[in-house]
Amino acid sequence: MIFEKPSTRTRVSMEVAAVQLGAYPLALRREELQLGRGEPIKDTARVLSRYVDAIAARVYSHESLEEMAAYATVPVINMLSDVEHPLQALADAFTIKEKFGAIDRVKVVYVGDGRNNVAHSLLLVIAKLGGHIAVASPPALQPRRDVLEAARAAASETGATIELLEDPKEAVRGADVVYTDVWVSMGEEAEAEERRKLLQDYQVNAELMSLASNRAVFMHCLPAHRGEEVTDDVIEGPWSVVWDQAENRLHVQKAVLALILS
């Protein structure tokens, strides 16, 4: 496990998942490897492939992950990049199924930065599972075109529906799941002020949640900036399933490891 970015849930859940399955996890920061001194990713990938059965990486740039996968001869797992966070999205889908029994009859609404990695992976997983997903974001922060095209291609096969909206109130009306993430992701600190201005009307608060369905739940991948993208009364209130969602990272990651390595 290679970590360029700090981590709580991903680091701990992946390490515990591996141990519970009888594997031996090595958690390494970039600066502990020769990567931190300029060794090419392709060289690192080829060497590690001689020692381990799988590589999992949490990186700043998605291109780094793609290069690692191109040169490794063992499976490479995306533990987060600037484009996608698939392990989180799998845990999200599992949580939705756990709460509602099915995904194809559930309306999921993501509110906030539609270009971030969690929004992208949530869009893709709901599209692949035949659900209904809406992304409410400012025009400047809508999902990447390539991700949107992939989601629409999946939706054409599964019957999923995808909506892009600007008005969060319109999007959340009748929603079963209201999901948000931080307004400023790791690596985007230089854009913090601009992003907060763009997203100031996209806070998930009690007023917004009151527009959702009477069975609605609130989801967040964590960590949360309370008082920014979500208010304390929502994340601590009866709508919140964020702690179940966080726990499900462990169960889903065990499933991923078992599927890939068995």
Side-chain angles (χ1 to χ4, degrees):
M1 301 188 294
I2 300 171
F3 290 89
E4 289 187 346
K5 290 185 173 186
S7 174
T8 297
R9 279 148 292 277
T10 300
R11 161 71 190 270
V12 176
S13 59
M14 263 310 248
E15 192 161 342
V16 172
V19 169
Q20 289 186 355
L21 291 174
Y24 182 82
L26 287 168
L28 302 165
R29 292 174 298 166
R30 180 186 175 91
E31 56 267 30
E32 294 177 301
L33 298 167
Q34 295 296 344
L35 277 171
R37 297 177 64 243
E39 182 173 39
I41 290 171
K42 61 183 180 181
D43 292 1
T44 301
R46 287 183 288 200
V47 169
L48 290 180
S49 295
R50 303 294 181 108
Y51 302 149
V52 303
D53 295 295
I55 300 167
R58 183 178 174 90
V59 298
Y60 282 99
S61 170
H62 194 75
E63 287 71 24
S64 298
L65 200 69
E66 291 179 328
E67 184 178 353
M68 195 171 290
Y71 286 92
T73 55
V74 296
V76 173
I77 299 168
N78 180 356
M79 292 196 297
L80 177 141
S81 74
D82 59 338
V83 178
E84 286 193 55
H85 196 356
L87 294 176
Q88 179 66 54
L90 289 171
D92 297 339
F94 179 62
T95 305
I96 293 167
K97 183 170 174 56
E98 194 174 52
K99 300 302 175 185
F100 295 101
I103 290 176
D104 58 356
R105 296 186 296 277
V106 175
K107 179 182 178 181
V108 179
V109 178
Y110 179 92
V111 178
D113 177 6
R115 287 186 70 83
N116 90 350
N117 46 24
V118 170
H120 284 158
S121 288
L122 187 68
L123 186 63
L124 289 165
V125 77
I126 298 300
K128 290 184 176 187
L129 294 172
H132 175 185
I133 182 162
V135 177
S137 62
L141 294 175
Q142 288 193 346
R144 282 175 37 150
R145 181 175 296 178
D146 57 340
V147 174
L148 195 54
E149 288 174 355
R152 283 174 170 157
S156 68
E157 297 180 3
T158 64
T161 56
I162 297 170
E163 290 184 282
L164 299 182
L165 301 102
E166 187 174 348
D167 183 352
K169 292 181 179 178
E170 180 187 352
V172 167
R173 205 172 302 279
D176 300 306
V177 175
V178 180
Y179 197 128
T180 194
D181 191 10
V182 295
W183 290 349
V184 183
S185 296
M186 286 180 285
E188 296 173 342
E189 289 78 7
E191 306 166 26
E193 188 176 345
E194 180 185 355
R195 284 175 166 272
R196 289 188 178 106
K197 286 179 181 176
L198 281 171
L199 292 162
Q200 61 186 345
D201 295 326
Y202 290 81
Q203 183 185 77
V204 178
N205 49 40
E207 180 185 358
L208 190 67
M209 289 298 302
S210 71
L211 301 174
S213 75
N214 58 12
R215 65 174 188 167
V217 300
F218 170 74
M219 297 178 70
H220 193 304
C221 59
L222 302 177
H225 293 168
R226 297 157 191 251
E228 196 165 280
E229 78 274 3
V230 62
T231 53
D232 201 64
D233 57 343
V234 170
I235 198 168
E236 294 289 356
W239 293 294
S240 180
V241 296
V242 299
W243 318 118
D244 293 339
Q245 184 186 358
E247 178 189 328
N248 285 338
R249 292 292 304 276
L250 172 64
H251 308 313
V252 164
Q253 282 156 198
K254 280 194 286 188
V256 169
L257 290 173
L259 177 69
I260 289 174
L261 297 175
S262 64

